[in-house]
Amino acid sequence: MNPTEQKAILTVSLLAAFADGHKADTEREAIRRLADSLGHESGGAGLAQLYQDVLLKRVSLPDAVAGLSDPGHRQLAYEMAVCVCDADGRQSPSEVAFLADLKARLKLDAGEAQAFEREEGALLDATDAAVPVLTVAPQAANKPSAPVQQVPSALDVDLDKSILNYAMLNGALELLPQSWASMAIIPLQVKMVYGIGKAHGVELDQGHIREFIAAAGVGLTSQYLEQFGRKLLGGLLGKVAGRTVGRIGGAATGMAFSFATTYALGQVAKRYYAGGRVMSTALLQETFQGLLGPAKQMQAQYLPQIQQKAQTLDAAKVLAMVRG
């Protein structure tokens, strides 16, 4: 894949990120920082300007699609766009319309597109089955509530073990080249937080959990963009015979950032729900950032286990983990 094709796919992904027109300022800023960060990596020159061009509508979907002639690269662009739109939950009507327009312009192979959409639908359904989706407005993440009974130390240890397992699994998923692998990371984070809340006697729905994750300063859309962007620029993505292929990322690629993000998020959630949900948004973000540094050091410690786990994963196993 040459730089022009990489830029075209990243443009499609950024256009997908803003397709709903309702991105919060914090998420926009996270995407801007990501574009600037990736712009300093090999092959990422011009990404900061590309972000501005997309935000100010100086580049269009037809412009981006025109830079993709290879059928495999067109399919990859579609898969990335779908995953970005799915990051913050079920697609909005404007995202559905954007993806339909993109799909038509890309002239995809019908069989391959349908195969990917079945994988996507199965993952979304598994997430809905594991974590309830309520129609009522979720409680704000920084709204105080009555304290709950202190969790016994044995359960606290169990939660630490569960958080570490989720972090290692998400780190392993980020090392895989397939689109379904990155697509599963946020649902697993949602399920992790759901389990932590439930352990403290708090029944949560997906809306509340996603608001909590955002309040802690973890960008949902920017997470997907970072995973795909680093894989793309690092040469970990490609197409052979109509299927996504690539090699397992190693420490030198700067991958597996999802380990640290997931671990820090789990520890923040444990403190938040154990303390009666009285932490402000500012304190949530401060606590998350304070935990992120040590989590990155842990990531290096657990990298061999993460890489080993990545070798054992397939779509069926990941779906079972999300569902179960």
Side-chain angles (χ1 to χ4, degrees):
M1 190 182 301
N2 61 44
T4 299
E5 292 165 330
Q6 288 181 339
K7 181 179 178 180
I9 292 177
L10 287 170
T11 301
V12 169
S13 300
L14 285 170
L15 288 167
F18 296 111
D20 62 1
H22 299 294
K23 282 286 174 287
D25 290 342
T26 52
E27 186 75 294
R28 287 175 181 266
E29 177 60 19
I31 296 172
R32 185 200 64 77
R33 290 197 305 268
L34 170 62
D36 185 62
S37 173
L38 290 178
H40 290 89
E41 297 192 5
S42 176
L47 274 181
Q49 183 60 51
L50 178 59
Y51 167 82
Q52 291 294 331
D53 290 342
V54 170
L55 198 62
L56 298 176
K57 299 182 179 180
R58 292 193 294 243
V59 62
S60 67
L61 188 57
D63 295 334
V65 170
L68 296 169
S69 58
D70 179 82
H73 297 158
R74 286 173 172 253
Q75 175 68 23
L76 181 59
Y78 177 66
E79 292 181 10
M80 290 177 65
V82 171
C83 292
V84 168
C85 287
D86 286 344
D88 48 9
R90 293 280 181 172
Q91 296 164 13
S92 67
S94 56
E95 287 173 327
V96 171
F98 170 83
L99 291 172
D101 183 25
L102 173 64
K103 186 176 180 180
R105 293 180 185 279
L106 289 171
K107 297 180 174 61
L108 302 176
D109 175 86
E112 188 172 357
Q114 289 170 4
F116 167 73
E117 288 163 358
R118 283 194 297 271
E119 292 176 347
E120 178 220 7
L123 183 58
L124 292 175
D125 290 343
T127 306
D128 290 348
V131 180
V133 181
L134 303 182
T135 56
V136 297
Q139 179 186 14
N142 61 345
K143 182 178 180 180
S145 61
V148 296
Q149 185 177 1
Q150 184 65 40
V151 177
S153 58
L155 183 53
D156 200 49
V157 171
D158 287 342
L159 287 177
D160 283 339
K161 185 184 298 184
S162 175
I163 291 168
L164 178 59
N165 286 336
Y166 273 111
M168 290 180 63
L169 175 57
N170 276 352
L173 286 171
E174 193 174 352
L175 295 181
L176 299 177
Q178 293 88 349
S179 297
W180 58 259
S182 289
M183 195 163 49
I185 289 174
I186 290 176
L188 285 167
Q189 289 175 346
V190 168
K191 186 182 176 185
M192 176 186 69
V193 174
Y194 176 76
I196 293 170
K198 194 169 184 178
H200 290 86
V202 183
E203 287 290 339
L204 303 172
D205 71 287
Q206 284 197 42
H208 174 99
I209 294 170
R210 291 176 189 274
E211 282 199 357
F212 167 79
I213 293 174
V218 182
L220 297 171
T221 305
S222 57
Q223 270 199 88
Y224 275 124
L225 286 172
E226 178 165 15
Q227 292 156 26
F228 281 124
R230 292 189 186 281
K231 287 179 182 181
L232 192 65
L233 296 178
L236 299 181
L237 292 176
K239 285 283 182 174
V240 172
R243 297 305 298 165
T244 309
V245 297
R247 57 186 176 84
I248 299 291
T253 67
M255 305 295 291
F257 287 168
S258 288
F259 172 94
T261 299
T262 303
Y263 186 85
L265 178 64
Q267 291 297 328
V268 170
K270 192 178 76 166
R271 298 183 188 187
Y272 178 69
Y273 292 108
R277 296 180 287 173
V278 296
M279 296 170 71
S280 66
T281 298
L283 183 55
L284 278 172
Q285 294 179 0
E286 180 182 344
T287 305
F288 174 77
Q289 289 299 323
L291 290 165
L292 195 57
K296 289 179 179 178
Q297 295 177 348
M298 288 179 63
Q299 174 181 296
Q301 173 188 346
Y302 285 98
L303 185 61
Q305 291 102 308
I306 294 171
Q307 291 174 318
Q308 184 177 13
K309 184 180 288 289
Q311 301 282 359
T312 69
L313 295 175
D314 58 32
K317 288 181 181 178
V318 173
L319 273 176
M321 291 173 185
V322 174
R323 190 181 296 113

